[in-house]
Amino acid sequence: QSLYESYSDDIPLILKRIYAARGVSESQLSMALPGLGLATVAAALVPMEIETKGKRAAKNLSNRLMAWGCILGSVLGLVQIAVIPAVKAFSPLPEVQEAAKIPSIIASILQIINGMVFIGEGIMAGTQSFLTLSVSTVIAKVGMLHALKIWTAKYGLPGVWMSFGVFNGLRLLGVLF
């Protein structure tokens, strides 16, 4: 049974298509799990580096980890773009396949940012920079909510994914500064 067919008959057709397309594009987001693993590694290694070799060495390690986060995010994004044709496996309906295409591309591009955000947040958690992490997350959420209000009305489902881009972009700025 496809995602499209699993929704109740009382939901208007356009909403069924949007829900199905969202489900397809969200399934790609699950590919970010390796980034979470690297965040855990960063949370453990950076504080240990500070203790054993000093802040300069920890900064160098952090930079290398951020580079690896960018590389991992880029690779995951490319893999996601490569599997976009597999959308047909989730729904046989051309309308759903087309509706999922742009959000899937946006989600793929966001993996580059996510790779660095995960590492940066891991470093911040490891160094117990919880206040800064919390404040930057709140700012990112406010930015995302504002973007949702504007872009969802204008662009529909792609606007939702663009709003995730605002959220992750602001989170990235939070971990970089």
Side-chain angles (χ1 to χ4, degrees):
Q1 183 176 5
S2 73
L3 285 172
Y4 177 76
E5 294 168 349
S6 67
Y7 292 101
S8 170
D9 289 335
D10 59 347
I11 298 174
L13 184 60
I14 188 69
L15 287 179
K16 288 180 182 179
R17 290 180 180 150
I18 289 171
Y19 291 149
R22 190 194 89 222
V24 170
S25 57
E26 279 182 348
S27 69
Q28 288 192 324
L29 191 60
S30 66
M31 293 180 77
L33 293 177
L36 291 172
L38 272 179
T40 303
V41 170
L45 289 181
V46 173
M48 186 171 61
E49 193 81 355
I50 291 171
E51 290 292 320
T52 59
K53 297 181 183 173
K55 288 185 178 183
R56 188 83 206 114
K59 175 71 173 162
N60 291 336
L61 174 61
S62 297
N63 289 340
R64 286 192 307 275
L65 289 168
M66 290 295 279
W68 277 109
C70 183
I71 291 167
L72 177 65
S74 298
V75 169
L76 288 174
L78 288 173
V79 168
Q80 282 182 274
I81 287 174
V83 300
I84 286 175
V87 164
K88 294 173 184 165
F90 292 96
S91 175
L93 299 172
E95 300 90 1
V96 172
Q97 294 168 11
E98 189 61 34
K101 193 178 294 181
I102 301 270
S104 295
I105 291 169
I106 294 170
S108 300
I109 293 167
L110 290 178
Q111 290 296 3
I112 299 166
I113 297 171
N114 288 341
M116 293 182 289
V117 168
F118 289 146
I119 298 297
E121 288 182 345
I123 292 168
M124 291 180 81
T127 58
Q128 299 183 2
S129 303
F130 300 117
L131 179 61
T132 305
L133 185 56
S134 298
V135 169
S136 69
T137 301
V138 168
I139 291 169
K141 285 185 181 186
V142 169
M144 181 185 79
L145 290 172
H146 186 66
L148 275 170
K149 184 177 181 181
I150 296 168
W151 288 343
T152 304
K154 189 169 183 175
Y155 300 110
L157 183 60
V160 173
W161 283 94
M162 291 164 38
S163 299
F164 288 148
V166 169
F167 177 68
N168 289 330
L170 291 171
R171 286 173 56 214
L172 178 60
L173 289 176
V175 300
L176 291 176
F177 300 103

